[in-house]
């Protein structure tokens, strides 16, 4: 692991989260238990750079069961019906089930919806409409509050939310969010540092990392130009009362009760820190949300690939796993259909969405909207940013030529500038 060949994926957000299925009868006609387990996966980076799973841990802590450990079958076992092959397949399904619960509730909703609303509300409360930082943020924060109001009513409303109809942890979303935010910090939004901290900066063909860091560099340059138009010294930043009230409100209201304000600064006194902060906000609102939202249906289309819930207890160590057991454990038809529809709905672009690059043939609007107050100097900054986005799109298009599986979710033509869905 010190040499950088081993990577661990954990699901600690599910610690102390009870089994779900409390509302399963609404879809299935019968009350089911959907088992919420902790599961971790150890990935090994081969000589060719590819990551492969080599160890999976499963722990049914809710029922007091001992943790179990699962490894791939020996190379000579090639029969896919062999119990060892099926046991490894089954273990991967359990891990994927735990992982998608964390992904849907934490990576998607908490990180790219709830967190972004904090920045939007703080901007609307503390920055006047003519303030240069409000003008910078306005295209990106519009739409966040209403879409989150709808989500809190339908998707994550404790006791009557849509997630409880297909996710094993959906009955206890508040507990999952609480676990997630225990470790969330401002540094998680500084993506270049975050990639190094996770040790993934050198993994080949990690297209999410490549594309989102390219966006980061472009938006960082754009933010720097916009900031330089209004703040000519660090003192200008430190003496901007509205701006400082924005930073204080993010900590005091948005992250109230968090240790050290989740690492968010209560004041920003220099231009470099202001540029980094605003870059992090814009990237999280637009590019990060795009990355985690608009490819979920691709995974959910085939439920065994990412089971949203499991209806039988996890296996004991060295248990004989059969295909019959696997099929009985996977979500039933009604739950599968509901999960696919939810993921398909969430993956649709809003009709009022704006993108970093316009695509008239696909009815995709570009960056500049009719309600944006843009001075001529700011428009020039936007134009330069858009030109760099065009170059990034060309780079991604070239990379995807001839590839069986294309990764174009973060092409600027597919990347909305705000969080609308």
């Amino acid at each position: 692991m010190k040499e950088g060949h081993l990577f661990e994926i954990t699901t600690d957000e599910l610690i102390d989260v009870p089994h779900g299925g409390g509302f399963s009868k609404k879809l299935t006609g019968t009350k089911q238990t959907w088992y919420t387990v902790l599961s971790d996966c150890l990935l090994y980076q081969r000589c060719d750079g590819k990551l492969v799973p080599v160890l999976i841990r499963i722990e049914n802590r809710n029922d007091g069961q001992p943790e179990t450990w699962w490894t791939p079958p020996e190379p000579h076992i090639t029969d896919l019906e062999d119990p060892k092959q099926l046991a490894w397949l089954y273990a991967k399904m359990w891990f994927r089930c735990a992982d998608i619960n964390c992904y849907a509730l934490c990576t998607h909703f908490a990180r790219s919806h709830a967190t972004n609303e904090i920045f939007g509300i703080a901007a609307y409360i503390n920055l006047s409409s003519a303030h240069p930082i409000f003008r910078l943020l306005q295209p990106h924060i519009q739409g966040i509050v209403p879409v989150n109001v709808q989500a809190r009513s339908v998707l994550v409303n404790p006791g009557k939310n849509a997630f409880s109809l297909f996710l094993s942890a959906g009955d206890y979303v508040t507990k999952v969010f609480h676990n997630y935010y225990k470790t969330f910090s401002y540094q998680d939004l500084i993506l270049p540092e975050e990639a190094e901290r996770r040790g993934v900066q050198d993994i080949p063909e990690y297209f999410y990392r490549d594309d989102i860091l390219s966006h980061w560099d472009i938006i960082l340059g754009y933010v720097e130009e916009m900031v330089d138009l209004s703040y000519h010294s660090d003192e200008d930043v430190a003496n901007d009362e509205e701006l400082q009230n924005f930073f204080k409100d993010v900590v005091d209201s948005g992250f109230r009760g968090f240790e050290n304000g989740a690492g968010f600064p209560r004041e920003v006194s220099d231009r470099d820190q202001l540029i980094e902060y605003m870059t992090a906000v814009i990237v999280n609102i637009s590019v990060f949300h795009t990355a985690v939202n608009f490819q979920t249906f691709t995974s959910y289309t085939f439920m065994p690939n990412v089971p949203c819930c499991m209806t039988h207890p996890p296996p004991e160590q060295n248990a004989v796993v059969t295909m019959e057991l696997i099929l009985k454990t996977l979500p039933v038809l009604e739950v599968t259909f509901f999960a696919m529809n939810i993921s398909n709905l969430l993956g649709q672009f809003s009709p009022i969405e704006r993108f970093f690059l316009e695509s008239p043939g696909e009815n995709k609007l570009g960056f500049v909207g009719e309600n944006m107050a843009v001075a001529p100097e700011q428009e020039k900054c936007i134009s330069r940013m858009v030109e760099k986005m065009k170059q990034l799109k060309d780079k991604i298009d070239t990379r995807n030529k001839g590839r069986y599986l294309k990764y174009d979710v973060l092409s600027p033509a597919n990347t909305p500038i705000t969080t609308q869905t």
Side-chain angles (χ1 to χ4, degrees):
M1 189 171 287
K2 289 182 179 179
E3 294 176 357
H5 296 298
L6 291 174
F7 299 86
E8 183 183 20
I9 304 174
T10 64
T11 57
D12 290 347
E13 295 90 342
L14 300 180
I15 291 176
D16 296 328
V17 176
H19 297 319
F23 297 90
S24 56
K25 189 174 182 179
K26 289 185 177 181
L27 285 181
T28 66
T30 59
K31 175 69 168 61
Q32 298 181 344
T33 298
W34 295 343
Y35 290 85
T36 304
V37 305
L38 300 174
S39 186
D40 309 323
C41 181
L42 196 65
L43 301 171
Y44 173 71
Q45 186 176 15
R46 302 184 312 200
C47 295
D48 61 2
K50 302 294 185 182
L51 295 176
V52 293
V54 294
L55 180 65
I56 290 175
R57 182 186 75 92
I58 301 174
E59 182 181 2
N60 182 7
R61 190 177 296 182
N62 287 326
D63 296 328
Q65 298 298 312
E67 59 188 7
T68 59
W69 303 85
W70 306 86
T71 57
E74 294 83 353
H76 69 272
I77 301 177
T78 58
D79 181 6
L80 297 182
E81 294 293 327
D82 186 281
K84 291 186 177 180
Q85 285 278 9
L86 294 177
W88 180 236
L89 174 66
Y90 199 39
K92 288 189 287 185
M93 289 180 176
W94 277 101
F95 167 73
R96 291 285 277 168
C97 179
D99 184 59
I100 195 60
N101 275 265
C102 297
Y103 182 91
L105 296 174
C106 303
T107 307
H108 182 197
F109 182 80
R111 165 74 181 268
S112 68
H113 277 267
T115 301
N116 290 337
E117 186 175 349
I118 293 172
F119 307 127
I121 290 178
Y124 282 119
I125 290 176
N126 296 283
L127 303 176
S128 63
S129 60
H131 194 281
I133 297 302
F134 183 83
R135 288 189 176 190
L136 174 67
L137 291 178
Q138 188 267 341
H140 306 285
I141 60 176
Q142 61 177 354
I144 289 177
V145 175
V147 76
N148 280 4
V149 168
Q150 187 177 30
R152 281 193 293 272
S153 173
V154 178
L155 286 178
V156 297
N157 190 348
K160 52 178 181 179
N161 65 80
F163 282 136
S164 67
L165 297 177
F166 68 100
L167 288 179
S168 55
D171 292 356
Y172 302 95
V173 291
T174 303
K175 178 61 179 175
V176 178
F177 295 152
H178 178 74
N179 287 344
Y180 170 74
Y181 278 114
K182 283 181 181 178
T183 59
F184 173 78
S185 76
Y186 171 72
Q187 293 304 316
D188 293 334
L189 304 185
I190 312 302
L191 297 185
E193 296 178 9
E194 191 249 4
E196 290 188 17
R197 191 164 60 249
R198 291 193 295 129
V200 299
Q201 68 273 22
D202 296 322
I203 296 177
E205 295 194 344
Y206 186 9
F207 298 138
Y208 159 78
R209 175 208 58 209
D210 296 341
D211 294 349
I212 203 166
L213 291 184
S214 294
H215 276 276
W216 175 279
D217 291 340
I218 293 171
I219 293 172
L220 178 70
Y222 162 66
V223 171
E224 183 175 11
E225 287 190 29
M226 294 287 277
V227 166
D228 286 347
L229 291 177
S230 302
Y231 299 93
H232 306 297
S233 66
D234 292 342
E235 289 74 18
D236 289 342
V237 175
N239 294 330
D240 187 331
E241 185 175 348
E242 287 186 26
L243 184 61
Q244 298 305 322
N245 286 339
F246 166 84
F247 295 123
K248 292 175 183 176
D249 200 21
V250 167
V251 174
D252 295 345
S253 298
F255 293 100
R256 181 174 53 197
F258 284 67
E259 184 177 354
N260 194 32
F264 283 80
R266 288 190 80 252
E267 59 181 33
V268 171
S269 57
D270 65 73
R271 291 189 299 173
D272 288 343
Q273 191 177 13
L274 173 61
I275 292 166
E276 177 190 76
Y277 192 115
M278 291 303 153
T279 300
V281 169
I282 292 172
V283 170
N284 198 60
I285 289 174
S286 57
V287 191
F288 182 82
H289 174 262
T290 297
V292 302
N293 181 65
F294 291 108
Q295 57 180 352
T296 51
F297 183 66
T298 304
S299 298
Y300 272 132
T301 300
F302 185 58
M303 186 56 66
N305 184 46
V306 191
C308 53
C309 58
M310 302 287 261
T311 62
H312 280 246
E316 297 179 357
Q317 194 70 66
N318 299 320
V320 176
V321 177
T322 64
M323 184 58 70
E324 181 182 10
L325 173 62
I326 292 176
L327 294 177
K328 284 183 177 179
T329 305
L330 289 171
V332 298
L333 176 64
E334 294 85 353
V335 176
T336 298
F337 182 74
F338 187 81
M340 290 174 64
N341 273 277
I342 287 289
S343 60
N344 182 49
L345 177 64
L346 295 178
Q348 299 295 319
F349 292 125
S350 165
I352 61 172
E353 209 102 60
R354 288 191 172 275
F355 298 79
F356 282 104
L357 289 181
E358 65 177 356
S359 301
E362 300 178 47
N363 293 320
K364 291 180 178 178
L365 300 175
F367 189 93
V368 178
E370 65 281 350
N371 61 334
M372 289 174 59
V374 183
E377 314 85 59
Q378 294 171 321
E379 190 171 355
K380 292 178 182 178
C381 296
I382 293 173
S383 296
R384 285 190 287 269
M385 182 265 291
V386 169
E387 187 59 36
K388 293 177 182 177
M389 289 291 183
K390 290 178 181 178
Q391 296 172 12
L392 175 58
K393 178 184 180 299
D394 292 341
K395 179 181 177 181
I396 293 174
D397 289 344
T398 300
R399 181 190 70 200
N400 281 324
K401 285 183 178 179
R403 299 190 69 90
Y404 174 69
L405 292 176
K406 298 179 180 180
Y407 186 83
D408 61 358
V409 66
L410 289 183
S411 171
N414 297 329
T415 305
I417 65 175
T418 186
T419 302
Q420 294 274 13
T421 56

